């Protein structure tokens, strides 16, 4: 009689643990908007949560260390005229966050390292191009200042935030509302899910669908999809009997899934959070009180169930910390920020190890905060893998870095690369005299703005020095 051999894996015993009460963030009025986004974004410096706000949309940004009860008058980031639906931190600047709203706009914000005295109301830039609500945001993983947005108008727009320009507009590829968008590891392809129940892989620079699978899950509820490190796809959805499913797909053969896992019967959409360093996918259902996690490997059955973290309270949303924000001394391999109705609770995933030394096998080099490409290089067809850093000595977030927006000269002769506009009165040729006058006026205004920016930077530095002095 042959003995059953237990599969060898360093992640077999990963366990989840909720943070102690004094490490949670209390008294936060989490948004009640009915939209299937995570409502929470986190990086090594800040925690951002979409909150209830009268007369518009708002989110709160807290330094990670500011745990405990949050003052009801704590400054918010306000500026949208309708609810905020999605937020996403820039992977290359920990002080920059983008927000998407029901008001059809995207706003990009600079968050100071010090706690602001009043609400932040002025974004660095407002991006206007969608005709309906904007529900999905995603920064490019390797190119600087490249941001993707997807709207209720079934259009995906890719922006250069550094100039405010539309780089690409993908407006004929989806016949219905886009539910999710995910970049692959080097940002050369997109995976999208749509209300028409089709999973698509898109080459954005060619504006074409390179592979698609109709009805990867038979059920009627929304799908989600993420790329794995080796270019496969993980999708979550529902069977015809409303059982929740996780499927692994090879884009070169979309006929049958490589693996399919069926779970429970529930109507909460499963949000997949994939960690390429450990090849573990964590599934968090909205309204669930658990996080299931699976390891993806090269040998059958390819998707291996590891465990489930369960708690009593259902989750309203979930934030997922980038690898560089984890505590490597405690063998922490993932950290979630679970949203309750009135609080946010960190949940820490740990691999049990006896040694206190740095665990090389748990922490391969991971994407750092440096961009590998400029926006124009990516648009011209270049690809680059993320710039990796070692976590051996821990990660210290860089000091405040300012995002400077330089709008392209409106008199530039080159045609815009964005969607075509109809000819209007403003497009008529200008006389040489008018051109010179406008150029002179722009130059004067730029000089004034530059002087004011230098003054603001000097004041911010003084304020930081004062704050450091009081600490």
């Amino acid at each position: 009689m042959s003995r059953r051999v237990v599969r060898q894996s360093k992640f077999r015993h990963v366990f989840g643990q909720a943070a102690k009460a004094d490490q949670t963030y209390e008294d936060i009025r989490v948004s009640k908007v009915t939209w299937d986004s995570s409502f929470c974004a986190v990086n090594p410096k800040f925690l951002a949560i979409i909150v209830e706000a009268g007369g518009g949309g708002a989110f709160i940004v807290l330094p990670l260390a500011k745990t405990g009860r949050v003052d009801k008058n704590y400054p918010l980031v306000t500026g949208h005229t309708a609810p905020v639906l999605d937020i996403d931190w820039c992977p290359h600047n920990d002080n920059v966050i983008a927000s998407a709203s029901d008001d059809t706009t995207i706003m990009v914000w600079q968050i100071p390292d010090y706690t602001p005295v009043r609400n932040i109301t002025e974004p660095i830039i407002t991006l206007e191009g969608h005709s309906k609500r904007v529900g999905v945001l995603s920064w490019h993983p390797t190119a600087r200042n490249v941001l993707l947005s997807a709207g209720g108008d079934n259009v995906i727009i890719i922006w250069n935030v550094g100039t405010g320009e539309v780089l690409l507009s993908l407006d004929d590829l989806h016949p219905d509302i886009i539910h999710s968008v995910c970049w692959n590891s080097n940002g050369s392809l997109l995976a999208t899910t749509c209300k028409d129940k089709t999973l698509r892989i898109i080459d954005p620079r060619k504006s074409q669908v390179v592979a698609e699978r109709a009805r990867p899950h038979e059920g009627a509820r929304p799908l989600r999809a993420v790329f794995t490190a080796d270019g496969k796809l993980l999708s979550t959805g529902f069977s015809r009997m409303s059982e929740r499913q996780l499927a692994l797909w090879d884009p070169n053969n979309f006929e049958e899934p490589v693996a399919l896992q069926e779970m429970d019967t529930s109507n909460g959409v499963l949000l997949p959070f994939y960690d390429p360093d450990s090849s573990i996918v964590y599934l968090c259902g909205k309204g669930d009180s658990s996080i299931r996690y699976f390891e993806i490997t090269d040998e059958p059955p390819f998707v291996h169930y590891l465990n489930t973290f369960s708690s009593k309270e259902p989750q309203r949303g979930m934030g997922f910390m980038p690898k560089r924000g984890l505590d490597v001394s405690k063998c922490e391999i993932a950290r979630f920020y679970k949203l309750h109705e009135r609080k946010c609770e960190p949940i820490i995933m740990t691999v049990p190890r006896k040694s206190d030394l740095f665990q090389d096998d748990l922490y391969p080099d991971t994407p750092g905060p440096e961009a590998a490409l400029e926006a124009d290089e990516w648009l011209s067809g270049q690809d680059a893998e993320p710039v990796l850093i070692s976590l051996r000595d821990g990660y210290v977030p860089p000091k405040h870095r300012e995002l400077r927006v330089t709008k392209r000269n409106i008199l530039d002769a080159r045609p815009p690369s964005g969607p075509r506009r109809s000819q209007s009165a403003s497009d008529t040729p200008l006389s040489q005299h008018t051109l010179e006058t406008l150029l002179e006026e722009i130059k004067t205004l730029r000089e004034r703005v530059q002087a004011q920016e230098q003054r603001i930077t000097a004041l911010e530095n003084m304020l930081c020095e004062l704050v450091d002095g009081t600490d």
Side-chain angles (χ1 to χ4, degrees):
M1 186 174 134
S2 64
R3 282 170 56 219
R4 184 162 176 255
V5 179
V6 176
R7 186 179 70 91
Q8 286 295 310
S9 169
K10 59 197 166 204
F11 300 116
R12 254 186 45 226
H13 302 293
V14 170
F15 67 97
Q17 204 166 17
K20 294 185 174 70
D22 62 348
Q23 293 300 304
T24 61
Y25 306 82
E26 303 270 353
D27 261 11
I28 296 169
R29 294 170 58 227
V30 177
S31 173
K32 292 187 172 69
V33 173
T34 50
W35 185 253
D36 286 323
S37 78
S38 59
F39 285 9
C40 179
V42 62
N43 70 20
K45 278 178 151 180
F46 298 107
L47 168 67
I49 299 167
I50 303 174
V51 293
E52 284 288 286
F59 59 98
I60 190 169
V61 176
L62 299 166
L64 279 191
K66 192 168 178 59
T67 52
R69 194 172 295 280
V70 177
D71 189 295
K72 68 176 190 301
N73 296 318
Y74 193 90
L76 303 177
V77 183
T78 60
H80 288 289
T81 56
V84 176
L85 301 177
D86 199 12
I87 48 178
D88 196 25
W89 286 105
C90 175
H92 308 126
N93 188 333
D94 285 342
N95 293 77
V96 170
I97 188 169
S99 58
S101 168
D102 218 330
D103 67 8
T104 76
T105 68
I106 301 109
M107 291 182 177
V108 180
W109 309 84
Q110 183 95 36
I111 306 298
D113 282 337
Y114 58 86
T115 302
V117 183
R118 55 181 68 85
N119 286 353
I120 299 174
T121 56
E122 291 296 322
I124 317 169
I125 192 164
T126 301
L127 305 170
E128 296 175 312
H130 288 282
S131 59
K132 291 186 180 173
R133 62 158 57 175
V134 186
V136 180
L137 283 179
S138 183
W139 291 89
H140 193 283
T142 62
R144 193 188 318 278
N145 296 339
V146 175
L147 176 66
L148 175 149
S149 62
D153 51 6
N154 315 338
V155 174
I156 289 175
I157 299 180
I158 298 174
W159 309 83
N160 181 348
V161 172
T163 61
E165 289 180 301
V166 172
L167 294 177
L168 298 161
S169 183
L170 313 176
D171 44 9
D172 299 321
L173 303 181
H174 297 89
D176 214 325
I177 291 171
I178 299 156
H179 285 146
S180 73
V181 182
C182 174
W183 296 95
N184 67 348
S185 62
N186 67 359
S188 60
L189 296 172
L190 299 170
T192 69
T193 61
C194 177
K195 197 175 177 182
D196 72 345
K197 305 287 177 292
T198 301
L199 172 58
R200 294 174 175 83
I201 297 178
I202 293 168
D203 183 331
R205 288 167 297 194
K206 291 181 180 168
S207 295
Q208 65 186 129
V209 177
V210 293
E212 64 181 352
R213 174 70 162 81
R215 303 191 83 85
H217 300 274
E218 292 289 335
R221 301 276 295 133
L223 311 169
R224 286 285 185 278
V226 289
F227 276 104
T228 64
D230 60 357
K232 291 191 176 69
L233 273 174
L234 283 164
S235 67
T236 63
F238 296 78
S239 72
R240 194 170 276 142
M241 306 301 289
S242 292
E243 284 180 312
R244 295 196 290 193
Q245 297 175 322
L246 169 68
L248 179 67
W249 301 89
D250 181 351
N252 299 317
N253 179 13
F254 254 152
E255 290 303 308
E256 290 293 324
V258 177
L260 182 68
Q261 283 265 354
E262 296 211 327
M263 283 164 278
D264 56 354
T265 306
S266 173
N267 61 2
V269 173
L270 283 170
L271 305 178
F273 295 94
Y274 175 73
D275 172 21
D277 295 346
S278 61
S279 202
I280 294 177
V281 64
Y282 302 86
L283 304 182
C284 308
K286 273 204 150 184
D288 287 13
S289 53
S290 61
I291 301 172
R292 288 180 184 79
Y293 41 106
F294 299 81
E295 186 179 358
I296 314 301
T297 66
D298 293 333
E299 63 266 4
F302 305 108
V303 176
H304 307 269
Y305 171 74
L306 290 174
N307 210 335
T308 300
F309 167 81
S310 296
S311 57
K312 291 176 185 166
E313 298 286 326
Q315 54 229 16
R316 297 281 292 275
M318 196 69 83
F320 187 50
M321 175 67 82
K323 208 53 168 276
R324 57 197 167 91
L326 303 180
D327 187 345
V328 296
S329 67
K330 295 196 170 87
C331 295
E332 183 184 3
I333 62 158
R335 192 188 313 153
F336 291 91
Y337 286 76
K338 173 182 171 178
L339 300 186
H340 298 242
E341 201 168 327
R342 302 271 316 184
K343 74 171 182 180
C344 175
E345 174 186 45
I347 293 165
I348 293 146
M349 298 287 179
T350 308
V351 176
R353 291 275 166 100
K354 288 176 182 172
S355 171
D356 290 336
L357 299 174
F358 179 74
Q359 307 290 311
D360 295 81
D361 61 326
L362 296 184
Y363 300 106
D365 289 356
T366 195
E370 291 305 318
L373 292 171
E374 297 301 324
D376 292 343
E377 292 173 327
W378 176 78
L379 187 63
S380 70
Q382 290 185 45
D383 289 320
E385 292 301 319
V387 179
L388 304 181
I389 57 168
S390 169
L391 298 178
R392 178 173 288 278
D393 301 315
Y395 170 76
V396 179
K399 277 279 192 189
H400 181 93
R401 289 194 295 182
E402 202 165 329
L403 168 62
R404 293 200 177 277
V405 174
T406 313
K407 298 244 177 144
R408 288 272 157 91
N409 189 338
I410 54 163
L411 305 172
D412 197 332
R414 288 173 302 175
S417 54
R420 290 190 300 277
R421 295 178 302 145
S422 57
Q423 185 94 13
S424 68
S426 62
D427 293 328
T428 55
L430 295 163
S431 71
Q432 190 61 36
H433 174 71
T434 316
L435 283 171
E436 285 168 3
T437 312
L438 280 169
L439 281 167
E440 195 58 46
E441 196 172 334
I442 288 166
K443 187 181 171 189
T444 311
L445 284 168
R446 279 211 177 118
E447 284 167 358
R448 278 191 211 154
V449 168
Q450 206 170 355
Q452 285 175 340
E453 281 178 346
Q454 286 168 353
R455 175 74 180 139
I456 289 167
T457 305
L459 288 169
E460 283 179 345
N461 289 340
M462 283 167 64
L463 190 55
C464 285
E465 283 168 18
L466 283 169
V467 170
D468 291 343
T470 54
D471 291 346

